[in-house]
Structure formats: C-alpha cells, structure tokens
C-alpha cells in the first residue's frame, strides 16, 4: 500500500484547504522526507487526516470514559465528546473533510473520503454523523454503504487493520514519548502494545503453564510406577519360555487354520461344480426333448413334402368330387320334380276322365 495524495479542510488547527501530492514533484522524487513546524502548526493533524480518511479513527483519540468531556459552548446539542473523532472539526467551522488517494496492494488506485458537518453547515449547528466512502479512481465505482462495509473493503485493499496500520505506520507521539521515558519493564509492555507482540507473552505464559501441568502429570506417573515390582531373572526367563510356547502354538493353529481354509475353498468349488453339472444335465435333457419334438415335426414336414407332387391331382380329384356331388344333387332334384309332374298329370287325367264320362252321360240323357 502506498499513499499517493492527501487533502483536507478545517481539521483542528488547519483551517483552510490543503493538498499534498506524494506521487509527483519534490515529495514524489524523494525517498524520505520530514514534516516539521511549530507546535500547533498541524503536523499531527496531517497524520490524523490519513487515519480518518482510511479508518474513521485517530490514534490520539482513544476511548476513555475518564476523559470523555464535552467540547463546545452554548447548547449541549451542539457539543461533541472530547474522544469523538468528529471533534477534530476546526472550532467555528460548519464542515470539514479528509481525503487520501492510495495505491492498493493489488496495484489498483483508490480514494478514501471522510467528512463531517454541522446542521445547515453553520458553526452553531448540531454535529451530524460523519460520512465515509471509497472510490475506485480507474472505474469511478464508489462504495458508500454502511461504514463497516467501507472499512472492511479498505482493510482488504490496504492489507492492514487499523491496529496494524497504527502500530506499523502511524506511531502516536504519546506512545513514543512514554516509551523513551518508561522503565525497562514498562518499555517492554509499551513495545508489545505498539507492535502487537503481546500475543507472544501470552503464548509464553501458556507454554509455561502447559509445561508445569505436564511435569505434574509426569510426577504422578512416576509415583504410580514406584508401586510396580520388577520380575526376577528366573521369572523373566519363564515368561520368555511361555511366550515362545504360545508363539509355537499360534503358528500350529495358524497352519491348521490355513488347511481348513483350503478345505473350505475346495468344498465351495466342488459345490459350485456340482451345481454347474446339475444345470448342464438339465439343459441336456431339455435339449433332447426339444430334439425329439423337432424330429417329429421334421417327419411331418417330410411327409408333406412327399405328397406335394400329387397335390395338383388331389386338388383336381377334389374338384371332380365336388362337381359330381353337385350333379347328383341336381339329378335328385330333377327326379323329385319329375315324380311331382307325373303325379299331377295322373290327377289331371283322372279329372279329365271324370269330366268326359259326365259329358257322355249327359249326351245320352238328351238323346
């Protein structure tokens, strides 16, 4: 992370707009420079402006309820707590801001902006909540949601949290002076607090406590071992002999177990072979039965094939027989008709004879 520019207005003793470009000009060309001036000139305010724009915090404004007095005169609503970062607004001013352009660790360029104002922009107005936003200088994308979202994104881009930034970049004057004047033990404590190495002291204490607990556990185990009697040479020899006998017995049992496993495998293979033989025999019986059925069908087909040569004659004979049957039926029908006509002729002849005798008898009676 690299700071490229710093701008601001109406911050503490700096009651006019200011702008510092650290990427060009003398400041950009120099690798190292110092900020000097009289007391109250605003040297620390420049550092405060950087922390404000990035983290909405100031190292020298640490929360302390014992020194949380109100700043301002007149209406209590226009006052602000001494440890509130908004109290950096210059007295008699209605608004102020701090702005930092920086190069993120991924090479992108960003602008962090912090501002505060009083109601209606008047010096006697109620102090308003500060505003904090972040803008990408390449894409003009602005992040201006909740402050926590802005701070999280800034921490990601800078690569440092506020505490890490304060200890590594912004060493407060008060901490440095206290460090120079403090005793050896106090300097160690202050150095841990400024560099964030107090965690190693806690780790050392935890390691010491862990070593003490482990030593106590070891002492307890040693005491318990003191009540255990050692075996004599003869007893140890007997145990070795018993161990060897057990090992030999185990080896014998293992060999027998291997033989049993081999027998079991052979039995399984024999059962599988017998099952396969039964299936094969059944399949063979089914095939024989199927072959018999095929042979009978084949004989029938052979018979059919042999009679195929007389098929036309047989069909002609069948046709002749059908025709003969039809003619026979016609002859029977004609015979019945002939008998019916003969019977009718006899009846008509009898009627004619009867009529003729009647006529003859009538002629005789008239003569």
């Amino acid at each position: 992370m690299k700071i490229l520019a710093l701008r601001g207005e109406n911050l503490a003793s700096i009651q006019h707009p200011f702008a510092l470009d650290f990427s060009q000009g003398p400041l950009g060309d120099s690798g190292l420079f110092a900020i000097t001036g009289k007391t109250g000139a605003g040297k620390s305010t420049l550092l405060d402006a950087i922390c404000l724009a990035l983290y909405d915090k100031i190292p020298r404004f640490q929360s302390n309820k014992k020194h949380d007095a109100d700043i301002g005169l007149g209406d209590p609503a226009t006052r602000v707590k001494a440890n509130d970062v908004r109290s950096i607004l210059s007295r008699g001013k209605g608004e102020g801001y701090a702005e930092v352009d920086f190069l993120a660790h991924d090479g992108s360029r960003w602008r962090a902006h912090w501002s505060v104002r009083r109601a209606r922009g008047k010096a006697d107005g109620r102090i308003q909540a500060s505003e904090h936003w972040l803008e990408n200088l390449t894409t003009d994308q602005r992040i201006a949601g909740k402050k926590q979202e802005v701070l999280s994104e800034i921490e990601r881009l800078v690569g440092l949290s506020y505490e890490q930034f304060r200890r590594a970049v912004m060493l407060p004057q008060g901490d440095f002076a206290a460090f120079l004047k403090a005793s050896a033990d106090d300097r160690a404590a202050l150095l841990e607090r400024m560099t964030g190495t107090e965690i190693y002291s806690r780790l050392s204490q935890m390691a010491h406590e862990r070593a003490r607990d482990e030593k106590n556990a070891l002492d307890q185990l040693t005491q318990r071992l003191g009540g255990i009697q050692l075996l004599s040479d003869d007893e140890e020899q007997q145990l070795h002999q018993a161990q060897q006998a057990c090992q030999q017995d185990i080896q014998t049992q293992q060999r027998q177990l291997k033989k049993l496993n081999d027998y079991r495998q052979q039995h399984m293979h024999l059962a599988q072979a017998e099952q396969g033989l039964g299936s094969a025999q059944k399949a063979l019986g089914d095939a024989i039965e199927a072959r018999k059925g095929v042979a009978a069908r084949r004989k029938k087909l052979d018979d059919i094939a042999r009679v195929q040569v007389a098929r036309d004659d047989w069909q002609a004979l069948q046709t002749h027989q059908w025709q003969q049957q039809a003619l026979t039926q016609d002859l029977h029908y004609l015979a019945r008709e002939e008998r019916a006509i003969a019977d009718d002729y006899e009846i008509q002849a009898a009627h004619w004879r009867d009529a003729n005798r009647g006529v003859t008898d009538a002629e005789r009676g008239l003569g």
Side-chain angles (χ1 to χ4, degrees), residues 59-299:
R60 55 178 172 165
F61 283 13
Q62 297 182 1
S63 298
N64 190 335
K65 292 184 178 179
K66 294 182 179 179
H67 304 287
D68 203 14
D70 292 340
I71 297 178
L73 301 174
D75 188 358
T78 64
R79 300 177 185 177
V80 63
K81 298 294 182 181
N83 288 326
D84 190 333
V85 294
R86 295 177 298 175
S87 65
I88 197 173
L89 180 64
S90 300
R91 182 176 299 180
K93 301 297 181 179
E95 56 186 353
Y97 77 95
E99 191 173 79
V100 167
D101 294 351
F102 66 94
L103 186 69
H105 62 84
D106 61 358
S108 56
R109 300 166 65 91
W110 294 82
R111 175 171 296 162
H113 180 92
W114 179 93
S115 62
V116 64
R117 63 187 302 273
R118 291 184 177 273
R120 302 180 303 280
K122 296 185 177 297
D124 57 351
R126 181 190 295 269
I127 193 87
Q128 304 296 306
S130 60
E131 295 183 1
H132 199 194
W133 50 259
L134 180 67
E135 183 178 0
N136 188 310
L137 296 178
T138 303
T139 64
D140 295 332
Q141 177 190 4
R142 177 172 293 191
I143 301 174
K146 296 181 180 180
K147 280 190 176 183
Q148 189 57 44
E149 296 176 355
V150 177
L151 290 173
S152 297
E153 185 64 15
I154 289 177
E155 288 185 6
R156 186 187 69 81
L157 294 170
V158 173
L160 297 171
S161 66
Y162 169 70
E163 289 298 327
Q164 293 170 335
F165 185 83
R166 181 180 69 84
R167 291 166 179 163
V169 181
M170 296 291 177
L171 183 63
Q173 290 180 350
D175 286 353
F176 188 71
F179 175 74
L180 293 177
K181 297 178 182 179
S183 63
D185 293 339
D186 292 338
R187 280 200 303 270
L190 285 172
L191 186 60
E192 287 182 354
R193 183 168 63 85
M194 288 187 295
T195 59
T197 57
E198 64 270 15
I199 187 173
Y200 298 106
S201 296
R202 294 198 296 271
L203 290 174
S204 177
Q205 295 175 2
M206 293 173 63
H208 177 73
E209 294 175 357
R210 177 67 180 274
R212 182 190 60 199
D213 295 339
E214 295 295 336
K215 185 178 182 302
N216 292 335
L218 178 61
D219 293 340
Q220 293 177 1
L221 291 175
T222 303
Q223 293 176 1
R224 292 173 59 186
L225 289 173
I228 300 176
Q229 296 181 357
L230 298 178
L231 298 175
S232 63
D233 293 339
D234 293 338
E235 291 174 340
E236 185 177 359
Q237 182 66 26
Q238 292 176 359
L239 287 177
H240 282 302
Q241 292 176 355
Q243 182 182 9
Q244 291 177 358
C246 289
Q247 289 179 348
Q248 292 177 357
D249 186 42
I250 290 173
Q251 291 175 357
T252 302
Q253 296 294 333
Q254 287 178 344
R255 287 193 294 270
Q256 292 179 355
L257 180 61
K258 184 177 183 303
K259 290 181 180 179
L260 290 175
N261 286 330
D262 293 340
Y263 292 152
R264 183 173 64 87
Q265 292 290 336
Q266 293 175 2
H267 179 72
M268 291 176 59
H269 293 161
L270 178 60
Q272 292 176 356
E274 290 178 349
Q275 183 179 3
L277 178 60
S279 300
Q281 289 176 346
K282 184 179 181 301
L284 178 60
D286 295 340
I288 292 173
E289 292 297 326
R291 183 177 180 182
K292 290 179 180 178
V294 170
R297 185 177 178 184
R298 182 175 181 179
K299 183 177 181 303

